[in-house]
Amino acid sequence: MRFVELKSETQLDMQSLHRARSRLVGERTALINQLRAVLFERGISVAQGRRRLEQYLALILGGEASPPSHPPLPLSSRMRLLIDDMRAQWRELDRRIAAFDAEFVAVVRSDKTARRLVTIPGIGVLNATALIAAVGDARSFARGRDLAAWLGLVPRQATTGGRPRLLGITKRGNNYLARQLATWPERAGASKYCDRGACQQAGTGRLGGAAVNGDL
């Protein structure tokens, strides 16, 4: 029989914080998409990236004169008020997301395991805290491949004539990360493994959609 480790209250709290942050990020993305739609319906197309949209709106609607490359916006006074209100909601979401990020940074600074995780290339504060909350004690996995499968890092498969063949994991380092997480608590001098890897994102299947280095 395989037994599942019970999560501590601290782990459950951390997972709840990550899910709350993911909800706020989703709300911000929906708001930005709606802003772009309002502008696009009036013939205004802004370059990709939320920072570029933010800079564009601050330049055009912030009381400054329109740059030569941009004619005056064909927006009614009511639409300008609506966009200003949506920008205020955007700023509030940014503030709340930043508050979660600051809390995760404080957790990493006070947690020895989290500090070790962030030394792995490609692992930031968000992934480190999400991994600790989801995995807990990695010694509950017999081998690294078990942890990789639990995280959803499974190899590609090709089947010919009813005979499946595993092709490996596409992103180099995903299986390495899972192996390292499963073995570091028991290995002497485990910190050397944190200096060699080229680990990429650890996957989102069990982590609640956390991103590397807060890149959402």
Side-chain angles (χ1 to χ4, degrees):
M1 296 180 63
R2 296 185 179 182
F3 298 93
V4 177
E5 291 284 341
L6 292 177
K7 286 184 172 57
S8 64
E9 185 177 357
T10 302
Q11 289 177 269
L12 293 174
D13 289 349
M14 185 60 61
Q15 285 189 320
S16 297
L17 292 176
H18 273 282
R19 288 166 184 153
R21 182 188 182 278
S22 296
R23 175 181 55 81
L24 293 177
V25 171
E27 291 178 7
R28 182 176 64 183
T29 301
L31 182 63
I32 291 173
N33 289 340
Q34 189 175 38
L35 262 172
R36 287 185 176 276
V38 170
L39 295 176
F40 193 71
E41 286 175 345
R42 289 153 180 81
I44 304 169
S45 179
V46 185
Q48 291 184 356
R50 60 186 176 90
R51 293 306 177 195
R52 292 186 178 182
L53 176 62
E54 188 177 19
Q55 293 170 0
Y56 181 86
L57 292 176
L59 178 65
I60 300 301
L61 300 177
E64 302 181 22
S66 300
S69 58
H70 295 283
L73 294 181
L75 295 175
S76 64
S77 58
R78 184 64 186 91
M79 284 301 98
R80 288 177 178 269
L81 290 175
L82 175 64
I83 291 177
D84 283 338
D85 182 65
M86 296 173 73
R87 290 177 64 202
Q89 296 180 47
W90 185 355
R91 288 191 291 269
E92 176 62 17
L93 288 172
D94 281 342
R95 184 193 66 79
R96 295 173 65 185
I97 292 171
F100 278 112
D101 292 341
E103 188 171 355
F104 294 143
V105 170
V107 170
V108 169
R109 288 175 177 171
S110 61
D111 188 273
K112 180 180 179 181
T113 303
R115 289 200 304 271
R116 180 177 294 179
L117 276 174
V118 295
T119 61
I120 303 174
I123 299 298
V125 170
L126 291 179
N127 263 357
T129 53
L131 277 169
I132 292 174
V135 176
D137 188 357
R139 288 172 293 189
S140 59
F141 296 92
R143 57 187 64 84
R145 68 180 65 182
D146 292 343
L147 177 55
W150 184 80
L151 289 172
L153 307 177
V154 296
R156 292 182 298 120
Q157 179 175 319
T159 303
T160 303
R163 302 180 63 181
R165 184 165 61 93
L166 301 181
L167 302 178
I169 298 177
T170 54
K171 283 195 174 183
R172 184 175 69 89
N174 280 339
N175 53 349
Y176 174 86
L177 171 62
R179 183 173 66 251
Q180 180 172 332
L181 288 173
T183 57
W184 101 70
E186 292 292 341
R187 304 178 79 102
S191 59
K192 67 180 180 180
Y193 295 98
C194 301
D195 300 327
R196 290 169 31 191
C199 303
Q200 305 297 324
Q201 185 172 353
T204 60
R206 299 278 182 171
L207 303 183
V212 175
N213 295 325
D215 201 25
L216 285 181

